[in-house]
């Protein structure tokens, strides 16, 4: 029989995507979606439901909160450096949830190590592979 489709109608200027099965067949006159998810946090999302030959209907607006911190993403790539000098372009990483939303209130420690030509650690580093970090919260990487 005919199926009912769901898609994002409005989302408060956030460009999120909907995941899951957006098209479901009715059972006894009711269509129950069971695995829809939105990938970006935002306010005032709404969904529109449509089926061939029927007038579409829009859900009430709802908010989507960020998920738990689950990944790191490179925000700024490090630049080429010289031995015993700070890297001219300091790297920066973001803490994100599974949808790529930045978790601004995450508190923790991010470790860094240097990899070269596919080997686990740069030969000039101590055996534990730890890089020396200078600065308190800015974590400037010192190469050498």
């Amino acid at each position: 029989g005919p199926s009912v489709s769901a898609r994002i109608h409005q989302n408060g200027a956030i460009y999120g995507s909907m995941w899951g099965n957006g098209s479901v067949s009715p059972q006894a006159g009711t269509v129950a979606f069971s695995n829809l998810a939105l990938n970006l946090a935002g306010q005032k999302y709404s969904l529109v439901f449509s089926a061939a030959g029927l007038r579409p209907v829009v859900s009430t607006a709802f908010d989507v909160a960020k998920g738990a911190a689950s990944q790191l993403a490179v925000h700024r790539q490090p630049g080429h450096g010289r031995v015993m000098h700070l890297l001219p372009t300091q790297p920066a990483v973001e803490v994100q949830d599974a949808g790529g939303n930045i978790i601004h209130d995450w508190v923790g420690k991010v470790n860094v190590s240097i990899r070269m030509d596919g080997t686990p650690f740069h030969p000039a580093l101590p055996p534990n592979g730890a890089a020396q970090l200078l600065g308190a919260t800015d974590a400037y990487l010192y190469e050498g």
Side-chain angles (χ1 to χ4, degrees):
S3 63
V4 175
S5 298
R7 64 178 174 78
I8 296 174
H9 181 252
Q10 293 180 347
N11 60 354
I14 302 294
Y15 297 99
S17 299
M18 187 177 74
W19 299 345
N21 186 1
S23 185
V24 177
S25 296
Q27 299 292 322
T30 300
V31 176
F33 292 86
S34 62
N35 66 348
L36 298 182
L38 299 171
N39 70 327
L40 291 180
Q43 297 177 331
K44 299 183 181 175
Y45 275 97
S46 63
L47 301 178
V48 62
F49 302 93
S50 60
L54 300 176
R55 186 177 331 142
V57 64
V58 176
S59 73
T60 58
F62 59 94
D63 297 341
V64 175
K66 294 178 183 177
S70 65
Q71 62 191 17
L72 295 174
V74 176
H75 175 76
R76 184 176 55 238
Q77 296 288 345
H80 298 285
R82 296 183 311 157
V83 173
M84 302 303 291
H85 289 84
L86 291 174
L87 295 172
T89 302
Q90 291 292 309
V93 298
E94 298 172 342
V95 177
Q96 300 178 344
D97 67 6
N101 298 290
I102 299 171
I103 308 298
H104 294 281
D105 59 352
W106 182 82
V107 176
K109 181 179 180 182
V110 175
N111 298 311
V112 62
S113 61
I114 297 174
R115 295 187 185 270
M116 185 174 181
D117 297 327
T119 59
F121 300 109
H122 190 284
L125 291 175
N128 67 3
Q132 183 179 6
L133 295 178
L134 304 175
T137 57
D138 293 334
Y140 295 110
L141 181 61
Y142 180 77
E143 182 183 55

